[in-house]
Amino acid sequence: MSSWGNAVKISIFGESHGKAIGVVIDGLPAGEPISMEEVCIQMARRAPGRDKAATPRLEKDFPEILSGMMNDTTTGAPLCAVIQNTNTRSQDYGNLLCSPRPAHADYTGSIRYSGFNDIRGGGHFSGRLTAPLVFAGAVCRQILERRGIKIAAHIASVGSIEDERFNSVSIPDDLLDRLSGAVFGLIDQSREESMRDLIEQCRLSQDSIGGTIECAVVGFPAGAGSPMFDGIENRIASIVFGIPAVKGIEFGSGFAGASLRGSQNNDAFYYDGDTVRTRTNNHGGILGGISSGMPIIFRVAVKPTPSISRVQQTVSLADKTNTTLEIKGRHDPCIAVRAVPVIEAAAAVAAVNILAEVNKL
Ligand SMILES: Cc1cc2nc3c(=O)[nH]c(=O)nc-3n(C[C@H](O)[C@H](O)[C@H](O)COP(=O)(O)O)c2cc1C
């Protein structure tokens, strides 16, 4: 379903070309001041039409608060925000129910919902549904920052062009602050031009490209999370897989750790004053599903945008024949760029929920 969380729960509703999309956040602590200016900064990072590496669709993405806030402060009641859909061109999606887009949810969605699903703009499967998630994340991020927890992500790669990785032991505040406001967030900004060139080449050749995103949660206290099925990895993975086009996740040394020896992968403990820290952070801040107090680090794989404008092979569900499809409309050439603030938002909602679950919020 489109609800997530236990102690703090989000429910995302709407369809891309319906009247509006939005979110209800339940379980937030009362009395938390929320800057709507900060919320809008985060929403603008995700919104299309502002960066040339993204789709030119201009979506306003202005959240209207229906409940749960008074005088810019949370009341403790469910917080409901609605975002109107204004920039829709439904005619671009006319034939997709009959001829599903390869790699999109048109086919599986129509089987699951017996053809009753709203296909326009991808309906409830659209990347647009990440706008309410970014709203929820922007609220949660402010609650976390007040408790000394910062979250930032960057484009770790586009195709085979890579950014530097986070120093997983110590990430400077100014880097976290820069990335958490960036539209094309990179640690090494000198790689921006080559990444943009590659994205542009893909767009010009009617194609798209995948990428990876690395995210860090810094200042998260030790001792949150629960074993087996309720660990931090479980929580983060389940919310992150709610983001369309996410196809993989790894924590700490992740898949690379599988080719290491224990002597290389183990992180030595030491006392830093009264605080236990580790010299390296291959464990990505999580041991046994529970936070160690070191930065929580994870990386996410984002697939290339399904909707490319080349002629592609598909089927006609109406005629039960093979056919071809030429997709019209305005699509992102590289989802990984716009998904960076979405990943941060998912991490923020997960972090608030995990802390609330163990009464540490
Ligand atoms: C921020 C964002 C923007 C997206 N934009 C597009 C797009 O313009 N065109 C498209 O075909 N898919 C886009 N997607 C991806 C599809 O929604 C997604 O691939 C589809 O729902 C199938 O789901 P799956 O890839 O998770 O299996 C976007 C995803 C995100 C997170």
Side-chain angles (χ1 to χ4, degrees):
M1 292 202 214
S2 303
S3 300
W4 184 94
N6 308 310
V8 173
K9 186 173 192 143
I10 59 167
S11 293
I12 291 180
F13 58 87
E15 281 129 323
S16 185
H17 290 196
K19 193 169 164 44
I21 55 175
V23 61
V24 178
I25 318 170
D26 209 348
L28 287 175
E32 295 283 340
I34 302 297
S35 153
M36 284 307 286
E37 201 178 317
E38 287 297 319
V39 167
C40 289
I41 290 172
Q42 292 305 323
M43 308 245 346
R45 289 174 70 206
R46 190 218 69 94
R50 284 158 184 77
D51 187 87
K52 56 181 182 293
T55 161
R57 293 186 312 258
L58 241 187
E59 294 164 2
K60 270 224 185 84
D61 283 6
F62 185 76
E64 187 191 344
I65 309 294
L66 297 193
S67 66
M69 258 173 48
M70 215 163 57
N71 302 325
D72 287 339
T73 305
T74 56
T75 62
L79 171 48
C80 178
V82 169
I83 304 156
Q84 303 294 329
N85 291 327
T86 50
N87 194 259
T88 53
R89 277 199 343 207
S90 302
Q91 68 275 16
D92 289 341
Y93 295 86
N95 63 341
L96 297 180
L97 199 51
C98 284
S99 300
R101 285 171 291 177
H104 213 293
D106 306 334
Y107 171 66
T108 50
S110 76
I111 300 287
R112 171 74 173 79
Y113 298 107
S114 311
F116 288 108
N117 52 314
D118 181 357
I119 199 101
R120 299 167 304 157
H124 192 61
F125 298 97
S126 166
R128 177 149 176 76
L129 271 291
T130 58
L133 178 56
V134 171
F135 172 86
V139 169
C140 291
R141 182 197 282 271
Q142 294 182 37
I143 295 171
L144 294 168
E145 274 174 7
R146 218 163 281 133
R147 290 154 179 78
I149 301 165
K150 289 190 182 219
I151 296 177
H154 66 110
I155 308 163
S157 65
V158 170
S160 57
I161 306 175
E162 294 190 354
D163 188 15
E164 263 174 41
R165 291 266 180 102
F166 279 125
N167 171 346
S168 59
V169 172
S170 166
I171 308 176
D173 266 5
D174 57 345
L175 176 62
L176 293 168
D177 292 343
R178 174 170 72 75
L179 290 175
S180 59
V183 172
F184 200 99
L186 290 171
I187 297 176
D188 178 359
Q189 291 168 291
S190 72
R191 308 194 194 183
E192 176 168 343
E193 200 179 324
S194 54
M195 283 188 184
R196 281 189 183 279
D197 285 350
L198 177 58
I199 294 170
E200 185 58 8
Q201 274 169 31
C202 292
R203 193 182 67 78
L204 291 174
S205 55
Q206 299 180 298
D207 216 339
S208 62
I209 185 132
T212 61
I213 295 167
E214 186 180 43
C215 184
V217 182
V218 179
F220 197 79
S226 302
M228 291 206 77
F229 308 115
D230 291 316
I232 294 179
E233 286 125 323
N234 311 59
R235 290 283 182 267
I236 292 179
S238 76
I239 192 168
V240 162
F241 276 122
I243 301 169
V246 167
K247 290 292 147 182
I249 188 163
E250 61 174 12
F251 294 85
S253 59
F255 280 84
S259 58
L260 296 178
R261 297 179 182 223
S263 55
Q264 298 170 308
N265 194 56
N266 292 355
D267 302 306
F269 287 114
Y270 73 100
Y271 266 110
D272 180 9
D274 285 343
T275 310
V276 173
R277 290 175 53 82
T278 58
R279 303 255 175 225
T280 49
N281 187 11
N282 291 317
H283 68 291
I286 309 163
L287 293 167
I290 300 169
S291 52
S292 69
M294 294 299 288
I296 294 172
I297 307 278
F298 63 94
R299 278 172 296 279
V300 171
V302 182
K303 77 184 195 185
T305 315
S307 301
I308 53 175
S309 50
R310 285 185 189 194
V311 176
Q312 297 182 84
Q313 294 183 6
T314 184
V315 291
S316 165
L317 295 173
D319 307 340
K320 292 193 170 24
T321 54
N322 295 326
T323 184
T324 56
L325 174 69
E326 216 178 320
I327 298 171
K328 299 198 181 70
R330 303 153 291 168
H331 295 276
D332 286 288
C334 180
I335 295 169
V337 174
R338 276 182 59 218
V340 170
V342 186
I343 296 292
E344 289 177 10
V349 174
V352 161
N353 180 57
I354 292 162
L355 290 175
E357 281 180 304
V358 292
N359 295 319
K360 285 191 184 229
L361 195 60

